[in-house]
Amino acid sequence: MITPRYISELLGAPMAAVIQAEAIAAKATANFIKEVGFTKATDASDPDFGAVRTITFSYQRINADGTTQTATLAIPLLTIIPIPSLQVAEAEIEFDLALTQPEVSAKSTSGTGSLDKTFLNSNDVRLRAIFGKKPSANPNAPASSATANMNVKIKLAQADLAVGMIQLLNILDSSNKET
Amino acid sequence: MSQLNQIIASLLSDINEAKSKADESSRNLARTYASDDVLKFFPVPKIGIQNLEVELKYAIESVEEKPFQSSQSKERLAAYVKNFSDDLAKELRMELNKEAITNELYKSLGSYPDINWEKNVAKMINGELETATSSLVDFARSIQKVQQTIQKAIPELVPIVVKTEGFAAVPTEKGSYELISFDKSGARDFKVLKEYPSEKEAIIDANLISSSISANKLVLSDFSKDPVSKLDAAKIKAGSLEVPIQVVNAKAVNIAPKVLFETTFAEKAVLLKNPIRRQPWLVGRPAAAASTTPRPNAPANQEEDSTLQEIASAILKKKMIQLEAGISKIAMETVSTGLQVAVDIEKLKLVKPENIMTIKFTLNSQDFTMLDDNNNVSIL
């Protein structure tokens, strides 16, 4: 029997997974850049990455006076091969849940402010669920314990960075420069 | 079994928590990205919920109605109770006064009850009702108790008349009692010119006079006629009792006071010897419904007339029904309805498919964004 989990965990897990998946993809891109675009031979000027990996080739160049000259050209490899970079533009998550008996706990009275206490005087309910089977299209079909009674569809998209996140990134960036 | 509002509140709270988990994941990644030479140039993955649809199947187990008393509804209830108390006291006063004016037995009460009586009664009723309706839970029983309390107070608040054969001790507007003689038709005949502090003393005198009349031992003397009011007066001696008497209404025919009183007492002697049997079939009223009842622990010839008290009881009964309806209306308006629902699949399995309801709600990106007064994304 699968242990029922809080709905927040069941909803949060796929959303966090999307973010983590994107981070893994970004990490792969970063690794690709490191490995393909740079040599591993590090020196004092480039302690981490080493030198930019280039493609060097020579060719016969015809000068203006008609004479030929052997020329050598070094091009960074990264500029001529496509860098695999993926970003989740939009994600849709849909799942069915079978809810279990709600947990009822005494409500803390703090935070209700000036609202009429008798109106909001109720206990907190926490819902737990397990992933369930999609209910049968036939309404008369008997439900089993694994038949879902809740369907959730979440549509996700890249979000603009929140003000707080931008501030955090700026701090981290400046602290890097300072060291 | 939980209320539907709690279930939805829990779901919304879970959605918020889920979103915060995703944001937390982004925050941790932001740190990792910043510390990586290449990743620091990459945008940190951060997702926003564009749309979220939830469809939940549930079964209604019961509908629960709970009264909730806000300060506003309490004020309304208090105002209603106050108005009701005033109205009831006013109606009692009006009806009692109407009866006192027309009923021969109560005429000595004059303009009773006065405005102070009305105010005090209203205050008493309001006091009782205020306590009873402080909680709307089981208010019908509380109102019933108040009705019983007021009913018990009526004998103290409304006077009665005690009657013996041909005489009655009637209350007066001064708070005393007077002894009135009634003729065979029930009209006021003469009164004893003496103030009695209670009906008991008046009845003792009435019995003395009656027994003297029956034994033909009553002595009449000092006949006179008031020159202004034209009312005949005399003095009677019945055993040790010697009191002045006066006719209640001036006689149209000019008869000498002596003749008048002698005739009156002769008629009274006949009446006393042959009392009218007030059989239910004679008065057209079943014994149980009669307004006169034999006095407990009193001689058989004594009876009480509680017409005024009966009027008060009838008004109280009628008005209390109105009060119950009125309060029930207020209670209905201040009731919160909650659906007790089952959402767990184990219970839903036992419910017939046609009894399963579905609630569907959609949240969009705006619902996950805090906006300031100008509808811009808040920096908070």
Side-chain angles (χ1 to χ4, degrees), chain A residues 8 59 63 80 87 105-107 153 156 158-159 161 167 170:
Chain A
S8 60
Y59 65 97
N63 292 324
I80 56 168
Q87 195 181 24
S105 59
K107 192 176 188 131
K153 277 182 206 159
L156 307 168
Q158 279 296 335
L161 281 181
Q167 282 173 346
N170 285 342

Side-chain angles (χ1 to χ4, degrees), chain A residues 64-79:
Chain A
D65 55 3
T67 59
T68 58
Q69 186 189 353
T70 305
T72 307
L73 196 66
I75 301 167
L77 184 59
L78 282 178
T79 61

Side-chain angles (χ1 to χ4, degrees), chain B residues 79 91 150 242 253:
Chain B
E91 192 171 336
I150 302 172
E242 205 173 337
V253 190

Side-chain angles (χ1 to χ4, degrees), chain A residues 6-9 11-12 15-16 18-20 22-23 26-27 29-30 33-34 48-49 85 87 90 98-102 104 116 118 121-123 125-127 135 139-140 143-145 147-163 165 168-169 172-173 176, chain B residues 1-3 5-7 10-11 13-15 17-19 21-23 25-27 29-40 42-58 66 68-71 336 342-349 353-354 378-379:
Chain A
Y6 287 127
I7 303 278
S8 60
E9 290 172 7
L11 290 179
M15 288 200 272
V18 172
I19 294 167
Q20 281 154 10
E22 205 180 321
K27 184 99 178 155
T29 307
I33 292 167
K34 276 184 195 169
D48 284 338
F49 286 71
S85 176
Q87 195 181 24
E90 208 176 272
L99 268 62
T100 58
Q101 174 74 33
V104 181
D116 204 325
T118 48
N121 190 14
S122 53
N123 295 326
V125 170
R126 291 278 342 240
L127 298 172
N140 294 321
S144 77
S145 55
T147 308
N149 65 322
M150 185 166 133
N151 172 266
V152 183
K153 277 182 206 159
I154 314 172
K155 197 171 173 186
L156 307 168
Q158 279 296 335
D160 294 333
L161 281 181
V163 181
M165 188 72 101
L168 172 70
L169 289 173
L172 292 171
D173 191 39
N176 279 349
Chain B
M1 190 163 75
S2 308
Q3 286 203 352
N5 59 1
Q6 290 173 325
I7 300 284
S10 171
L11 275 176
S13 157
D14 275 329
I15 291 165
E17 210 174 297
K19 177 70 172 65
K21 279 189 167 72
D23 289 344
S25 180
S26 290
R27 183 197 64 188
L29 284 173
R31 289 207 177 110
T32 316
Y33 272 42
S35 60
D36 189 286
D37 287 327
V38 180
L39 282 176
K40 69 180 175 189
F42 280 59
V44 177
K46 182 179 181 297
I47 56 155
I49 296 177
Q50 278 202 323
N51 201 55
L52 189 144
E53 275 178 39
V54 175
E55 201 178 305
L56 174 70
K57 286 187 165 53
Y58 64 93
K66 270 194 280 185
F68 71 94
Q69 272 176 292
S70 61
S71 52
S336 72
V343 287
D344 52 305
I345 197 70
E346 291 300 327
K347 277 192 184 158
L348 290 183
K349 272 196 303 185
E354 59 266 29
S378 168
I379 60 158

Side-chain angles (χ1 to χ4, degrees), chain A residues 130-143:
Chain A
I130 53 167
F131 287 109
K133 282 195 293 186
K134 218 173 186 52
S136 163
N138 175 12
N140 294 321

Side-chain angles (χ1 to χ4, degrees), chain B residues 282-346:
Chain B
L282 192 67
V283 285
R285 227 173 149 183
S291 59
T292 52
T293 46
R295 297 202 82 189
N297 308 320
N301 66 337
Q302 271 184 40
E303 50 185 29
E304 277 180 5
D305 181 283
S306 48
T307 309
L308 288 192
Q309 289 187 359
E310 277 171 22
I311 289 171
S313 298
I315 292 170
L316 178 69
K317 204 173 164 188
K318 179 189 83 182
K319 290 290 274 184
M320 283 315 230
I321 295 168
Q322 288 174 13
L323 174 77
E324 204 179 320
I327 292 185
S328 135
K329 201 177 159 208
I330 293 175
M332 285 284 281
E333 286 165 13
T334 54
V335 88
S336 72
T337 308
L339 290 181
Q340 293 288 336
V341 298
V343 287
D344 52 305
I345 197 70
E346 291 300 327

